[in-house]
Amino acid sequence: MSTIEDVAKASGVSKGTVSSVFSKKRPISKEVSERVLAAAKELNYKPNYWARSLANKSTKILGLNIPGEQFKFSQFHLSLMNGVLGVCYRHGYRLLVNSLPPSYLSQVEHWVSDPVDGEIMLDPENEDPRIMERIHGQVPIVLVGRPSSQYESKVSYVDNDNVGMTEQITRYLLELGHRNLLFLNAPKHRTVAGDRELGFRSACREAGIPETHQQIVFKPDIYRPSNEFGYETTMKALQEMPEITAVIADTDTMALGVYKAAEHLGMTIPDQLSVYAFSDDSTYSPEFTPPLTGVRLHAEQLGREAAVILLEQLSKETKTVKRAIVPTEMVIRSSCTQRKTFMK
Amino acid sequence: MSTIEDVAKASGVSKGTVSSVFSKKRPISKEVSERVLAAAKELNYKPNYWARSLANKSTKILGLNIPGEQFKFSQFHLSLMNGVLGVCYRHGYRLLVNSLPPSYLSQVEHWVSDPVDGEIMLDPENEDPRIMERIHGQVPIVLVGRPSSQYESKVSYVDNDNVGMTEQITRYLLELGHRNLLFLNAPKHRTVAGDRELGFRSACREAGIPETHQQIVFKPDIYRPSNEFGYETTMKALQEMPEITAVIADTDTMALGVYKAAEHLGMTIPDQLSVYAFSDDSTYSPEFTPPLTGVRLHAEQLGREAAVILLEQLSKETKTVKRAIVPTEMVIRSSCTQRKTFMK
DNA sequence: AATCGAGATTAAACCGGTTTACTATTACGG
DNA sequence: CCGTAATAGTAAACCGGTTTAATCTCGATT
């Protein structure tokens, strides 16, 4: 690859002039400008991204940070990313997927600052070391999901109204006559799990459901796939407590496990078991009979808003902490129905 | 942020020594090493990514290049990306999603080399300027999909056997008794469209189907969503040629349009119209009744193989051109059936 | 004719690392 | 006790851009 030096020599001007021709940050006479561009084309020259970033102290790259080992993108993340990408696209930013193993990053020879101007961080946890690290390292961040309270006034974030949404969904099931619910929740250390628990409990309390009839099981944070967790937990719960008539699953993948459990127990959905999932789109949907009732989280919009807020923070000097709540909508399909009286 | 200079001063050694402590590329006595690391921690120092990349001439970042304006990731891309990410993860590479508008990149002030060590390029087209550019710019690439023939011996790529797969699928429909097929193909300029056309034609010819009964419509490359294209094309085709009893759709999104058209025409699937789609996973699957018959493309494996080949090319000096063909499997669900004789 | 000022260009410093060529110190074998 | 080699550290050059401060040109103003 040829360098700016080569172009400068070839067109008989200085490095600085060539730089200005490209960056357009200073006026250059048309004549010189053309001569330089011709030479550049001739030599197949393109400014070096990293040299430029080093000098500019800006990379025009946004990071997307996802926690956990062996992470896989779900449908939710996909939509979210599409939202982020759209904004990046319009503003000339590139998107870096930043999810290297903590074990890798902890080695001294891999210590390094992040190659991004700012980062969108997914799935915040209660004691999330990533947040501390970014604040400490001066990297602007926007979270998708609520941070733990100690950071709530320190970092910007976008989120659904998880408390309200779960309340609404729980009420829906209660109004259908269900009196004994099982809630398969996200891993306990994720902040979203707490919010959803809150909403669930609140709606149950409001309807006078005793605590024993509000089963919540948090997904353990080991690498067991969600559908297996859904299957095993539902099997166990329904055997121990056959009065359960409705299950709320945190994701559609979990719901798949619930469906399978119901099938193995000879129960039909929705007649003997209602199933609700926090997800409107699913990879596994071909497997769902009947179609899954869920909720639209508007992942794409979450991504868009996060990206917009982040870019805003990058452009302005004043670091206002912002928050955006994206509304949700229930999507009633056919996996939930009135509790049948003979089930009593 | 503190620099290597600060750390050097604080620990009373030279820049070069600090550099060696971090990169471990040269032995440093334990004593000095500890002193430096302590100072680094104290100052919250991390090596600057850009400066390091500049000096190393390597970024440890792989690019994922997707063509087209206003691109959105589909389920296929999601799985593919998961495959790529897994490999990146294990090798300490980050992944950059590189899909900026050509209009943006053509402006002089945005000319810049790519900030990656190598790139995985999706959806190659017949006269794909991206390929030329990367070869010219010395950026190692691996394609997902077959390049046009002039590049076939010049760049590595991974692909499904699109010809064979389409042949197999077409035969399947022909064996079900269908004699009049509609094939909604990918945009004509994509190489995959040609391959699939070839397979389709070949199977039809083999069965003695006249050309007039092998309708192929290529998706125009304007920004109309695939489902609308599927809907409108199917409506038109079925009205002009009611003898059609089976449709092959290039993607599940297109198939969604076909379903809708069938509904509007009062036709039931699969009894009056069989539908086959080149996709096993779908965002829209909740909408599919009956479940869509398709084909498993193993997108994740495609991504994995592409990443592995790319990393191999980066590590070795010898640039062997490699090719990998990932097998496909038909997934028979319930959107295709025997042609009913009364339809004759 | 002298002064001023705007515009275009350049040399050199800088961004923050890595690497090379060299020096100083210690260890060892003969 | 000396020559040689191995080890640890350093100063300076380098990676390829951007930017600052200074210089030079030329037309307009007084």
Side-chain angles (χ1 to χ4, degrees), chain B residues 296-309:
Chain B
R296 208 157 273 155
L297 304 172
H298 296 295
E300 191 169 332
Q301 196 185 338
L302 283 168
R304 264 200 311 270
E305 303 263 11
V308 167
I309 291 180

Side-chain angles (χ1 to χ4, degrees), chain B residues 4 15 19 26 45 48 52 55:
Chain B
I4 200 172
K15 280 169 60 175
S19 175
R26 205 195 337 248
Y45 167 75
N48 181 299
R52 185 177 265 188

